[in-house]
PDB file of all heavy atoms in Angstrom:
ATOM      1  N   ARG D1102      20.949 -59.750 -17.441  1.00  0.00           N
ATOM      2  CA  ARG D1102      20.584 -61.160 -17.153  1.00  0.00           C
ATOM      3  C   ARG D1102      19.986 -61.277 -15.776  1.00  0.00           C
ATOM      4  O   ARG D1102      18.965 -61.956 -15.601  1.00  0.00           O
ATOM      5  CB  ARG D1102      21.767 -62.036 -17.317  1.00  0.00           C
ATOM      6  CG  ARG D1102      22.300 -62.187 -18.741  1.00  0.00           C
ATOM      7  CD  ARG D1102      23.666 -62.861 -18.811  1.00  0.00           C
ATOM      8  NE  ARG D1102      24.139 -62.888 -20.160  1.00  0.00           N
ATOM      9  CZ  ARG D1102      24.701 -61.821 -20.757  1.00  0.00           C
ATOM     10  NH1 ARG D1102      24.812 -60.684 -20.066  1.00  0.00           N
ATOM     11  NH2 ARG D1102      25.145 -61.915 -22.001  1.00  0.00           N
ATOM     12  N   ALA D1103      20.562 -60.681 -14.786  1.00  0.00           N
ATOM     13  CA  ALA D1103      20.106 -60.826 -13.376  1.00  0.00           C
ATOM     14  C   ALA D1103      18.717 -60.055 -13.270  1.00  0.00           C
ATOM     15  O   ALA D1103      17.809 -60.609 -12.641  1.00  0.00           O
ATOM     16  CB  ALA D1103      21.066 -60.190 -12.418  1.00  0.00           C
ATOM     17  N   ASP D1104      18.591 -58.924 -13.890  1.00  0.00           N
ATOM     18  CA  ASP D1104      17.327 -58.167 -13.839  1.00  0.00           C
ATOM     19  C   ASP D1104      16.190 -58.955 -14.504  1.00  0.00           C
ATOM     20  O   ASP D1104      15.089 -59.014 -14.041  1.00  0.00           O
ATOM     21  CB  ASP D1104      17.452 -56.851 -14.550  1.00  0.00           C
ATOM     22  CG  ASP D1104      18.405 -55.876 -13.848  1.00  0.00           C
ATOM     23  OD1 ASP D1104      18.771 -56.183 -12.676  1.00  0.00           O
ATOM     24  OD2 ASP D1104      18.818 -54.834 -14.425  1.00  0.00           O
ATOM     25  N   ALA D1105      16.529 -59.554 -15.679  1.00  0.00           N
ATOM     26  CA  ALA D1105      15.492 -60.315 -16.381  1.00  0.00           C
ATOM     27  C   ALA D1105      15.070 -61.556 -15.618  1.00  0.00           C
ATOM     28  O   ALA D1105      13.889 -61.870 -15.540  1.00  0.00           O
ATOM     29  CB  ALA D1105      16.049 -60.708 -17.767  1.00  0.00           C
ATOM     30  N   ALA D1106      16.016 -62.298 -15.073  1.00  0.00           N
ATOM     31  CA  ALA D1106      15.777 -63.472 -14.313  1.00  0.00           C
ATOM     32  C   ALA D1106      14.860 -63.188 -13.139  1.00  0.00           C
ATOM     33  O   ALA D1106      13.904 -63.968 -12.789  1.00  0.00           O
ATOM     34  CB  ALA D1106      17.047 -64.127 -13.879  1.00  0.00           C
ATOM     35  N   ALA D1107      15.112 -62.110 -12.461  1.00  0.00           N
ATOM     36  CA  ALA D1107      14.324 -61.707 -11.305  1.00  0.00           C
ATOM     37  C   ALA D1107      12.863 -61.379 -11.717  1.00  0.00           C
ATOM     38  O   ALA D1107      11.980 -61.590 -10.874  1.00  0.00           O
ATOM     39  CB  ALA D1107      14.948 -60.475 -10.642  1.00  0.00           C
ATOM     40  N   ALA D1108      12.674 -60.973 -12.931  1.00  0.00           N
ATOM     41  CA  ALA D1108      11.334 -60.654 -13.435  1.00  0.00           C
ATOM     42  C   ALA D1108      10.662 -61.885 -14.156  1.00  0.00           C
ATOM     43  O   ALA D1108       9.522 -61.745 -14.661  1.00  0.00           O
ATOM     44  CB  ALA D1108      11.402 -59.493 -14.418  1.00  0.00           C
ATOM     45  N   GLY D1109      11.371 -62.989 -14.154  1.00  0.00           N
ATOM     46  CA  GLY D1109      10.810 -64.171 -14.858  1.00  0.00           C
ATOM     47  C   GLY D1109      10.889 -64.057 -16.383  1.00  0.00           C
ATOM     48  O   GLY D1109      10.019 -64.639 -17.101  1.00  0.00           O
ATOM     49  N   ILE D1110      11.874 -63.362 -16.898  1.00  0.00           N
ATOM     50  CA  ILE D1110      11.974 -63.078 -18.305  1.00  0.00           C
ATOM     51  C   ILE D1110      13.249 -63.750 -18.841  1.00  0.00           C
ATOM     52  O   ILE D1110      14.291 -63.763 -18.162  1.00  0.00           O
ATOM     53  CB  ILE D1110      12.087 -61.579 -18.601  1.00  0.00           C
ATOM     54  CG1 ILE D1110      10.858 -60.842 -18.060  1.00  0.00           C
ATOM     55  CG2 ILE D1110      12.287 -61.266 -20.067  1.00  0.00           C
ATOM     56  CD1 ILE D1110       9.520 -61.299 -18.668  1.00  0.00           C
ATOM     57  N   ARG D1111      13.231 -64.298 -20.014  1.00  0.00           N
ATOM     58  CA  ARG D1111      14.423 -64.803 -20.684  1.00  0.00           C
ATOM     59  C   ARG D1111      15.136 -63.619 -21.372  1.00  0.00           C
ATOM     60  O   ARG D1111      14.452 -62.767 -21.953  1.00  0.00           O
ATOM     61  CB  ARG D1111      14.085 -65.830 -21.730  1.00  0.00           C
ATOM     62  CG  ARG D1111      13.512 -67.094 -21.139  1.00  0.00           C
ATOM     63  CD  ARG D1111      12.984 -68.020 -22.289  1.00  0.00           C
ATOM     64  NE  ARG D1111      11.871 -67.420 -22.991  1.00  0.00           N
ATOM     65  CZ  ARG D1111      11.657 -67.575 -24.305  1.00  0.00           C
ATOM     66  NH1 ARG D1111      12.570 -68.244 -25.023  1.00  0.00           N
ATOM     67  NH2 ARG D1111      10.656 -67.024 -24.921  1.00  0.00           N
ATOM     68  N   ALA D1112      16.449 -63.577 -21.374  1.00  0.00           N
ATOM     69  CA  ALA D1112      17.140 -62.462 -21.993  1.00  0.00           C
ATOM     70  C   ALA D1112      18.479 -62.939 -22.593  1.00  0.00           C
ATOM     71  O   ALA D1112      19.136 -63.834 -22.024  1.00  0.00           O
ATOM     72  CB  ALA D1112      17.457 -61.380 -20.974  1.00  0.00           C
ATOM     73  N   THR D1113      18.857 -62.379 -23.725  1.00  0.00           N
ATOM     74  CA  THR D1113      20.122 -62.691 -24.318  1.00  0.00           C
ATOM     75  C   THR D1113      20.704 -61.521 -25.103  1.00  0.00           C
ATOM     76  O   THR D1113      19.926 -60.653 -25.590  1.00  0.00           O
ATOM     77  CB  THR D1113      19.965 -63.889 -25.335  1.00  0.00           C
ATOM     78  OG1 THR D1113      21.201 -64.148 -25.952  1.00  0.00           O
ATOM     79  CG2 THR D1113      18.998 -63.543 -26.441  1.00  0.00           C
ATOM     80  N   ASP D1114      22.014 -61.429 -25.138  1.00  0.00           N
ATOM     81  CA  ASP D1114      22.658 -60.463 -26.041  1.00  0.00           C
ATOM     82  C   ASP D1114      22.571 -61.045 -27.460  1.00  0.00           C
ATOM     83  O   ASP D1114      22.240 -62.225 -27.655  1.00  0.00           O
ATOM     84  CB  ASP D1114      24.133 -60.261 -25.658  1.00  0.00           C
ATOM     85  CG  ASP D1114      24.331 -59.513 -24.367  1.00  0.00           C
ATOM     86  OD1 ASP D1114      23.552 -58.599 -24.130  1.00  0.00           O
ATOM     87  OD2 ASP D1114      25.267 -59.846 -23.594  1.00  0.00           O
ATOM     88  N   TYR D1115      22.984 -60.198 -28.429  1.00  0.00           N
ATOM     89  CA  TYR D1115      23.149 -60.732 -29.791  1.00  0.00           C
ATOM     90  C   TYR D1115      24.377 -60.087 -30.425  1.00  0.00           C
ATOM     91  O   TYR D1115      24.583 -58.883 -30.355  1.00  0.00           O
ATOM     92  CB  TYR D1115      21.941 -60.466 -30.686  1.00  0.00           C
ATOM     93  CG  TYR D1115      22.121 -61.080 -32.041  1.00  0.00           C
ATOM     94  CD1 TYR D1115      21.930 -62.414 -32.208  1.00  0.00           C
ATOM     95  CD2 TYR D1115      22.543 -60.296 -33.114  1.00  0.00           C
ATOM     96  CE1 TYR D1115      22.138 -62.999 -33.464  1.00  0.00           C
ATOM     97  CE2 TYR D1115      22.777 -60.846 -34.343  1.00  0.00           C
ATOM     98  CZ  TYR D1115      22.580 -62.220 -34.514  1.00  0.00           C
ATOM     99  OH  TYR D1115      22.831 -62.778 -35.736  1.00  0.00           O
ATOM    100  N   LYS D1116      25.222 -60.886 -31.079  1.00  0.00           N
ATOM    101  CA  LYS D1116      26.334 -60.402 -31.777  1.00  0.00           C
ATOM    102  C   LYS D1116      26.334 -60.926 -33.227  1.00  0.00           C
ATOM    103  O   LYS D1116      26.176 -62.112 -33.498  1.00  0.00           O
ATOM    104  CB  LYS D1116      27.649 -60.910 -31.183  1.00  0.00           C
ATOM    105  CG  LYS D1116      27.865 -60.475 -29.703  1.00  0.00           C
ATOM    106  CD  LYS D1116      28.053 -58.987 -29.573  1.00  0.00           C
ATOM    107  CE  LYS D1116      28.393 -58.601 -28.151  1.00  0.00           C
ATOM    108  NZ  LYS D1116      27.366 -58.825 -27.170  1.00  0.00           N
ATOM    109  N   VAL D1117      26.423 -60.040 -34.213  1.00  0.00           N
ATOM    110  CA  VAL D1117      26.291 -60.408 -35.631  1.00  0.00           C
ATOM    111  C   VAL D1117      27.592 -60.935 -36.139  1.00  0.00           C
ATOM    112  O   VAL D1117      28.705 -60.595 -35.657  1.00  0.00           O
ATOM    113  CB  VAL D1117      25.825 -59.182 -36.460  1.00  0.00           C
ATOM    114  CG1 VAL D1117      26.925 -58.095 -36.544  1.00  0.00           C
ATOM    115  CG2 VAL D1117      25.414 -59.574 -37.852  1.00  0.00           C
ATOM    116  N   ALA D1118      27.532 -61.815 -37.159  1.00  0.00           N
ATOM    117  CA  ALA D1118      28.681 -62.350 -37.847  1.00  0.00           C
ATOM    118  C   ALA D1118      28.496 -62.250 -39.351  1.00  0.00           C
ATOM    119  O   ALA D1118      27.347 -62.333 -39.853  1.00  0.00           O
ATOM    120  CB  ALA D1118      28.901 -63.836 -37.450  1.00  0.00           C
ATOM    121  N   PRO D1119      29.589 -62.086 -40.142  1.00  0.00           N
ATOM    122  CA  PRO D1119      29.440 -62.053 -41.566  1.00  0.00           C
ATOM    123  C   PRO D1119      28.843 -63.396 -42.035  1.00  0.00           C
ATOM    124  O   PRO D1119      29.336 -64.491 -41.574  1.00  0.00           O
ATOM    125  CB  PRO D1119      30.914 -61.931 -42.058  1.00  0.00           C
ATOM    126  CG  PRO D1119      31.603 -61.292 -40.908  1.00  0.00           C
ATOM    127  CD  PRO D1119      30.951 -61.819 -39.677  1.00  0.00           C
ATOM    128  N   ASP D1120      27.871 -63.379 -42.860  1.00  0.00           N
ATOM    129  CA  ASP D1120      27.137 -64.578 -43.258  1.00  0.00           C
ATOM    130  C   ASP D1120      26.552 -64.386 -44.705  1.00  0.00           C
ATOM    131  O   ASP D1120      25.446 -63.886 -44.839  1.00  0.00           O
ATOM    132  CB  ASP D1120      26.019 -64.902 -42.228  1.00  0.00           C
ATOM    133  CG  ASP D1120      25.220 -66.159 -42.516  1.00  0.00           C
ATOM    134  OD1 ASP D1120      25.480 -66.816 -43.578  1.00  0.00           O
ATOM    135  OD2 ASP D1120      24.417 -66.497 -41.696  1.00  0.00           O
ATOM    136  N   GLY D1121      27.320 -64.794 -45.643  1.00  0.00           N
ATOM    137  CA  GLY D1121      26.891 -64.644 -47.039  1.00  0.00           C
ATOM    138  C   GLY D1121      25.653 -65.435 -47.343  1.00  0.00           C
ATOM    139  O   GLY D1121      24.807 -65.033 -48.206  1.00  0.00           O
ATOM    140  N   ALA D1122      25.419 -66.661 -46.737  1.00  0.00           N
ATOM    141  CA  ALA D1122      24.269 -67.414 -47.057  1.00  0.00           C
ATOM    142  C   ALA D1122      22.975 -66.725 -46.596  1.00  0.00           C
ATOM    143  O   ALA D1122      21.997 -66.654 -47.336  1.00  0.00           O
ATOM    144  CB  ALA D1122      24.370 -68.815 -46.416  1.00  0.00           C
ATOM    145  N   THR D1123      22.966 -66.211 -45.375  1.00  0.00           N
ATOM    146  CA  THR D1123      21.790 -65.463 -44.909  1.00  0.00           C
ATOM    147  C   THR D1123      21.626 -64.172 -45.677  1.00  0.00           C
ATOM    148  O   THR D1123      20.490 -63.775 -46.024  1.00  0.00           O
ATOM    149  CB  THR D1123      21.907 -65.139 -43.395  1.00  0.00           C
ATOM    150  OG1 THR D1123      21.987 -66.410 -42.715  1.00  0.00           O
ATOM    151  CG2 THR D1123      20.676 -64.394 -42.891  1.00  0.00           C
ATOM    152  N   LEU D1124      22.731 -63.497 -46.009  1.00  0.00           N
ATOM    153  CA  LEU D1124      22.634 -62.251 -46.811  1.00  0.00           C
ATOM    154  C   LEU D1124      22.014 -62.521 -48.189  1.00  0.00           C
ATOM    155  O   LEU D1124      21.302 -61.673 -48.704  1.00  0.00           O
ATOM    156  CB  LEU D1124      23.984 -61.646 -46.930  1.00  0.00           C
ATOM    157  CG  LEU D1124      24.103 -60.235 -47.459  1.00  0.00           C
ATOM    158  CD1 LEU D1124      23.214 -59.285 -46.610  1.00  0.00           C
ATOM    159  CD2 LEU D1124      25.501 -59.718 -47.538  1.00  0.00           C
ATOM    160  N   ALA D1125      22.243 -63.730 -48.710  1.00  0.00           N
ATOM    161  CA  ALA D1125      21.639 -64.054 -49.990  1.00  0.00           C
ATOM    162  C   ALA D1125      20.108 -64.161 -49.915  1.00  0.00           C
ATOM    163  O   ALA D1125      19.378 -63.795 -50.816  1.00  0.00           O
ATOM    164  CB  ALA D1125      22.214 -65.394 -50.467  1.00  0.00           C
ATOM    165  N   ILE D1126      19.581 -64.707 -48.726  1.00  0.00           N
ATOM    166  CA  ILE D1126      18.170 -64.696 -48.529  1.00  0.00           C
ATOM    167  C   ILE D1126      17.614 -63.298 -48.387  1.00  0.00           C
ATOM    168  O   ILE D1126      16.548 -62.989 -49.053  1.00  0.00           O
ATOM    169  CB  ILE D1126      17.856 -65.500 -47.207  1.00  0.00           C
ATOM    170  CG1 ILE D1126      18.301 -66.981 -47.342  1.00  0.00           C
ATOM    171  CG2 ILE D1126      16.355 -65.390 -46.913  1.00  0.00           C
ATOM    172  CD1 ILE D1126      18.208 -67.708 -46.012  1.00  0.00           C
ATOM    173  N   ILE D1127      18.309 -62.460 -47.719  1.00  0.00           N
ATOM    174  CA  ILE D1127      17.888 -61.074 -47.568  1.00  0.00           C
ATOM    175  C   ILE D1127      17.881 -60.393 -48.914  1.00  0.00           C
ATOM    176  O   ILE D1127      17.041 -59.579 -49.284  1.00  0.00           O
ATOM    177  CB  ILE D1127      18.806 -60.329 -46.560  1.00  0.00           C
ATOM    178  CG1 ILE D1127      18.640 -60.918 -45.187  1.00  0.00           C
ATOM    179  CG2 ILE D1127      18.555 -58.817 -46.562  1.00  0.00           C
ATOM    180  CD1 ILE D1127      19.582 -60.425 -44.138  1.00  0.00           C
ATOM    181  N   ALA D1128      18.939 -60.717 -49.732  1.00  0.00           N
ATOM    182  CA  ALA D1128      18.968 -60.135 -51.077  1.00  0.00           C
ATOM    183  C   ALA D1128      17.733 -60.456 -51.935  1.00  0.00           C
ATOM    184  O   ALA D1128      17.276 -59.618 -52.656  1.00  0.00           O
ATOM    185  CB  ALA D1128      20.263 -60.634 -51.765  1.00  0.00           C
ATOM    186  N   ARG D1129      17.290 -61.680 -51.771  1.00  0.00           N
ATOM    187  CA  ARG D1129      16.061 -62.048 -52.532  1.00  0.00           C
ATOM    188  C   ARG D1129      14.856 -61.263 -52.042  1.00  0.00           C
ATOM    189  O   ARG D1129      13.977 -60.929 -52.839  1.00  0.00           O
ATOM    190  CB  ARG D1129      15.825 -63.561 -52.378  1.00  0.00           C
ATOM    191  CG  ARG D1129      16.852 -64.395 -53.173  1.00  0.00           C
ATOM    192  CD  ARG D1129      16.404 -65.828 -53.356  1.00  0.00           C
ATOM    193  NE  ARG D1129      16.370 -66.555 -52.104  1.00  0.00           N
ATOM    194  CZ  ARG D1129      17.401 -67.274 -51.637  1.00  0.00           C
ATOM    195  NH1 ARG D1129      18.573 -67.209 -52.247  1.00  0.00           N
ATOM    196  NH2 ARG D1129      17.311 -67.973 -50.517  1.00  0.00           N
ATOM    197  N   LEU D1130      14.765 -61.012 -50.762  1.00  0.00           N
ATOM    198  CA  LEU D1130      13.685 -60.216 -50.232  1.00  0.00           C
ATOM    199  C   LEU D1130      13.781 -58.746 -50.668  1.00  0.00           C
ATOM    200  O   LEU D1130      12.724 -58.100 -50.925  1.00  0.00           O
ATOM    201  CB  LEU D1130      13.610 -60.297 -48.702  1.00  0.00           C
ATOM    202  CG  LEU D1130      13.304 -61.601 -48.070  1.00  0.00           C
ATOM    203  CD1 LEU D1130      13.479 -61.536 -46.543  1.00  0.00           C
ATOM    204  CD2 LEU D1130      11.911 -62.034 -48.451  1.00  0.00           C
ATOM    205  N   LEU D1131      14.969 -58.249 -50.752  1.00  0.00           N
ATOM    206  CA  LEU D1131      15.187 -56.887 -51.317  1.00  0.00           C
ATOM    207  C   LEU D1131      14.816 -56.895 -52.801  1.00  0.00           C
ATOM    208  O   LEU D1131      14.159 -55.907 -53.287  1.00  0.00           O
ATOM    209  CB  LEU D1131      16.598 -56.461 -51.177  1.00  0.00           C
ATOM    210  CG  LEU D1131      17.059 -56.151 -49.701  1.00  0.00           C
ATOM    211  CD1 LEU D1131      18.597 -56.199 -49.600  1.00  0.00           C
ATOM    212  CD2 LEU D1131      16.540 -54.756 -49.260  1.00  0.00           C
ATOM    213  N   GLU D1132      15.181 -57.869 -53.558  1.00  0.00           N
ATOM    214  CA  GLU D1132      14.903 -57.965 -54.930  1.00  0.00           C
ATOM    215  C   GLU D1132      13.438 -58.003 -55.244  1.00  0.00           C
ATOM    216  O   GLU D1132      12.892 -57.413 -56.230  1.00  0.00           O
ATOM    217  CB  GLU D1132      15.611 -59.173 -55.586  1.00  0.00           C
ATOM    218  CG  GLU D1132      15.785 -59.132 -57.103  1.00  0.00           C
ATOM    219  CD  GLU D1132      16.818 -58.075 -57.529  1.00  0.00           C
ATOM    220  OE1 GLU D1132      17.973 -58.405 -57.611  1.00  0.00           O
ATOM    221  OE2 GLU D1132      16.391 -56.966 -57.804  1.00  0.00           O
ATOM    222  N   SER D1133      12.645 -58.758 -54.423  1.00  0.00           N
ATOM    223  CA  SER D1133      11.300 -58.910 -54.580  1.00  0.00           C
ATOM    224  C   SER D1133      10.457 -57.692 -54.117  1.00  0.00           C
ATOM    225  O   SER D1133       9.262 -57.552 -54.405  1.00  0.00           O
ATOM    226  CB  SER D1133      10.683 -60.118 -53.838  1.00  0.00           C
ATOM    227  OG  SER D1133      10.879 -59.934 -52.415  1.00  0.00           O
ATOM    228  N   GLY D1134      11.106 -56.795 -53.345  1.00  0.00           N
ATOM    229  CA  GLY D1134      10.409 -55.651 -52.808  1.00  0.00           C
ATOM    230  C   GLY D1134       9.765 -55.842 -51.479  1.00  0.00           C
ATOM    231  O   GLY D1134       9.120 -54.943 -50.950  1.00  0.00           O
ATOM    232  N   ASP D1135       9.889 -57.058 -50.932  1.00  0.00           N
ATOM    233  CA  ASP D1135       9.275 -57.255 -49.623  1.00  0.00           C
ATOM    234  C   ASP D1135      10.000 -56.550 -48.506  1.00  0.00           C
ATOM    235  O   ASP D1135       9.386 -56.227 -47.478  1.00  0.00           O
ATOM    236  CB  ASP D1135       9.293 -58.809 -49.333  1.00  0.00           C
ATOM    237  CG  ASP D1135       8.340 -59.600 -50.199  1.00  0.00           C
ATOM    238  OD1 ASP D1135       7.145 -59.326 -50.132  1.00  0.00           O
ATOM    239  OD2 ASP D1135       8.783 -60.524 -50.914  1.00  0.00           O
ATOM    240  N   ILE D1136      11.250 -56.287 -48.725  1.00  0.00           N
ATOM    241  CA  ILE D1136      12.081 -55.536 -47.775  1.00  0.00           C
ATOM    242  C   ILE D1136      12.800 -54.420 -48.524  1.00  0.00           C
ATOM    243  O   ILE D1136      13.140 -54.576 -49.713  1.00  0.00           O
ATOM    244  CB  ILE D1136      13.193 -56.429 -47.136  1.00  0.00           C
ATOM    245  CG1 ILE D1136      12.495 -57.591 -46.369  1.00  0.00           C
ATOM    246  CG2 ILE D1136      14.081 -55.653 -46.148  1.00  0.00           C
ATOM    247  CD1 ILE D1136      11.656 -57.200 -45.189  1.00  0.00           C
ATOM    248  N   ARG D1137      12.996 -53.256 -47.921  1.00  0.00           N
ATOM    249  CA  ARG D1137      13.767 -52.163 -48.542  1.00  0.00           C
ATOM    250  C   ARG D1137      14.702 -51.566 -47.569  1.00  0.00           C
ATOM    251  O   ARG D1137      14.506 -51.577 -46.365  1.00  0.00           O
ATOM    252  CB  ARG D1137      12.804 -51.120 -49.115  1.00  0.00           C
ATOM    253  CG  ARG D1137      11.799 -50.504 -48.074  1.00  0.00           C
ATOM    254  CD  ARG D1137      10.750 -49.678 -48.844  1.00  0.00           C
ATOM    255  NE  ARG D1137       9.705 -49.206 -47.917  1.00  0.00           N
ATOM    256  CZ  ARG D1137       9.609 -48.031 -47.477  1.00  0.00           C
ATOM    257  NH1 ARG D1137      10.616 -47.146 -47.721  1.00  0.00           N
ATOM    258  NH2 ARG D1137       8.639 -47.668 -46.648  1.00  0.00           N
ATOM    259  N   VAL D1138      15.760 -51.016 -48.134  1.00  0.00           N
ATOM    260  CA  VAL D1138      16.745 -50.282 -47.360  1.00  0.00           C
ATOM    261  C   VAL D1138      16.513 -48.759 -47.547  1.00  0.00           C
ATOM    262  O   VAL D1138      16.215 -48.327 -48.680  1.00  0.00           O
ATOM    263  CB  VAL D1138      18.181 -50.621 -47.764  1.00  0.00           C
ATOM    264  CG1 VAL D1138      18.458 -50.359 -49.195  1.00  0.00           C
ATOM    265  CG2 VAL D1138      19.184 -49.894 -46.883  1.00  0.00           C
ATOM    266  N   HIS D1139      16.572 -48.026 -46.432  1.00  0.00           N
ATOM    267  CA  HIS D1139      16.416 -46.560 -46.527  1.00  0.00           C
ATOM    268  C   HIS D1139      17.758 -45.936 -46.188  1.00  0.00           C
ATOM    269  O   HIS D1139      18.385 -46.226 -45.151  1.00  0.00           O
ATOM    270  CB  HIS D1139      15.358 -46.095 -45.571  1.00  0.00           C
ATOM    271  CG  HIS D1139      15.150 -44.590 -45.519  1.00  0.00           C
ATOM    272  ND1 HIS D1139      14.373 -43.945 -46.469  1.00  0.00           N
ATOM    273  CD2 HIS D1139      15.716 -43.637 -44.809  1.00  0.00           C
ATOM    274  CE1 HIS D1139      14.404 -42.675 -46.252  1.00  0.00           C
ATOM    275  NE2 HIS D1139      15.233 -42.441 -45.267  1.00  0.00           N
ATOM    276  N   LEU D1140      18.200 -45.013 -47.107  1.00  0.00           N
ATOM    277  CA  LEU D1140      19.412 -44.266 -46.835  1.00  0.00           C
ATOM    278  C   LEU D1140      19.049 -42.876 -46.410  1.00  0.00           C
ATOM    279  O   LEU D1140      18.312 -42.186 -47.022  1.00  0.00           O
ATOM    280  CB  LEU D1140      20.248 -44.122 -48.172  1.00  0.00           C
ATOM    281  CG  LEU D1140      20.657 -45.482 -48.808  1.00  0.00           C
ATOM    282  CD1 LEU D1140      21.581 -45.176 -49.956  1.00  0.00           C
ATOM    283  CD2 LEU D1140      21.361 -46.381 -47.806  1.00  0.00           C
ATOM    284  N   ASP D1141      19.624 -42.503 -45.283  1.00  0.00           N
ATOM    285  CA  ASP D1141      19.412 -41.193 -44.695  1.00  0.00           C
ATOM    286  C   ASP D1141      20.280 -40.155 -45.384  1.00  0.00           C
ATOM    287  O   ASP D1141      19.863 -39.051 -45.705  1.00  0.00           O
ATOM    288  CB  ASP D1141      19.753 -41.203 -43.156  1.00  0.00           C
ATOM    289  CG  ASP D1141      19.423 -39.879 -42.543  1.00  0.00           C
ATOM    290  OD1 ASP D1141      20.277 -38.975 -42.536  1.00  0.00           O
ATOM    291  OD2 ASP D1141      18.265 -39.766 -41.988  1.00  0.00           O
ATOM    292  N   ASP D1142      21.552 -40.583 -45.644  1.00  0.00           N
ATOM    293  CA  ASP D1142      22.512 -39.650 -46.343  1.00  0.00           C
ATOM    294  C   ASP D1142      23.664 -40.457 -46.954  1.00  0.00           C
ATOM    295  O   ASP D1142      23.950 -41.518 -46.545  1.00  0.00           O
ATOM    296  CB  ASP D1142      23.027 -38.617 -45.297  1.00  0.00           C
ATOM    297  CG  ASP D1142      23.389 -37.270 -45.910  1.00  0.00           C
ATOM    298  OD1 ASP D1142      23.543 -37.239 -47.186  1.00  0.00           O
ATOM    299  OD2 ASP D1142      23.553 -36.343 -45.182  1.00  0.00           O
ATOM    300  N   VAL D1143      24.301 -39.775 -47.921  1.00  0.00           N
ATOM    301  CA  VAL D1143      25.426 -40.398 -48.639  1.00  0.00           C
ATOM    302  C   VAL D1143      26.568 -39.377 -48.621  1.00  0.00           C
ATOM    303  O   VAL D1143      26.375 -38.236 -48.997  1.00  0.00           O
ATOM    304  CB  VAL D1143      25.082 -40.807 -50.089  1.00  0.00           C
ATOM    305  CG1 VAL D1143      26.326 -41.426 -50.710  1.00  0.00           C
ATOM    306  CG2 VAL D1143      23.898 -41.793 -50.058  1.00  0.00           C
ATOM    307  N   PHE D1144      27.739 -39.790 -48.222  1.00  0.00           N
ATOM    308  CA  PHE D1144      28.959 -38.954 -48.204  1.00  0.00           C
ATOM    309  C   PHE D1144      30.048 -39.591 -49.106  1.00  0.00           C
ATOM    310  O   PHE D1144      30.052 -40.793 -49.308  1.00  0.00           O
ATOM    311  CB  PHE D1144      29.525 -38.834 -46.811  1.00  0.00           C
ATOM    312  CG  PHE D1144      28.594 -38.093 -45.824  1.00  0.00           C
ATOM    313  CD1 PHE D1144      27.544 -38.753 -45.177  1.00  0.00           C
ATOM    314  CD2 PHE D1144      28.855 -36.740 -45.522  1.00  0.00           C
ATOM    315  CE1 PHE D1144      26.718 -38.122 -44.286  1.00  0.00           C
ATOM    316  CE2 PHE D1144      28.056 -36.071 -44.588  1.00  0.00           C
ATOM    317  CZ  PHE D1144      26.985 -36.741 -43.936  1.00  0.00           C
ATOM    318  N   ASP D1145      30.922 -38.790 -49.632  1.00  0.00           N
ATOM    319  CA  ASP D1145      32.067 -39.277 -50.308  1.00  0.00           C
ATOM    320  C   ASP D1145      33.010 -39.885 -49.324  1.00  0.00           C
ATOM    321  O   ASP D1145      32.982 -39.475 -48.119  1.00  0.00           O
ATOM    322  CB  ASP D1145      32.774 -38.204 -51.176  1.00  0.00           C
ATOM    323  CG  ASP D1145      31.961 -37.762 -52.366  1.00  0.00           C
ATOM    324  OD1 ASP D1145      31.150 -38.624 -52.843  1.00  0.00           O
ATOM    325  OD2 ASP D1145      32.072 -36.587 -52.764  1.00  0.00           O
ATOM    326  N   LEU D1146      33.930 -40.802 -49.719  1.00  0.00           N
ATOM    327  CA  LEU D1146      34.860 -41.438 -48.873  1.00  0.00           C
ATOM    328  C   LEU D1146      35.655 -40.423 -48.023  1.00  0.00           C
ATOM    329  O   LEU D1146      35.844 -40.665 -46.794  1.00  0.00           O
ATOM    330  CB  LEU D1146      35.817 -42.297 -49.634  1.00  0.00           C
ATOM    331  CG  LEU D1146      36.900 -43.047 -48.827  1.00  0.00           C
ATOM    332  CD1 LEU D1146      36.281 -44.027 -47.845  1.00  0.00           C
ATOM    333  CD2 LEU D1146      37.875 -43.765 -49.784  1.00  0.00           C
TER     334      LEU D1146
END
């Protein structure tokens, strides 16, 4: 924050929260193919 303010820049952290309503919007974008998820690897539990 101090570094950004000295440079005349706005700055903020971000913390995610569980949000089913927004996830539903993302689900529609995944369903339409506009967005895709890429899996690097899959392991058993």
Side-chain angles (χ1 to χ4, degrees):
R1102 291 168 185 80
D1104 294 347
I1110 302 298
R1111 295 172 295 144
T1113 180
D1114 288 324
Y1115 182 78
K1116 301 292 188 294
V1117 69
D1120 182 354
T1123 300
L1124 192 57
I1126 297 171
I1127 294 169
R1129 290 196 290 273
L1130 292 175
L1131 288 161
E1132 199 71 88
S1133 67
D1135 290 301
I1136 301 296
R1137 56 192 172 98
V1138 57
H1139 178 83
L1140 300 186
D1141 186 275
D1142 210 344
V1143 180
F1144 294 81
D1145 289 332
L1146 178 62

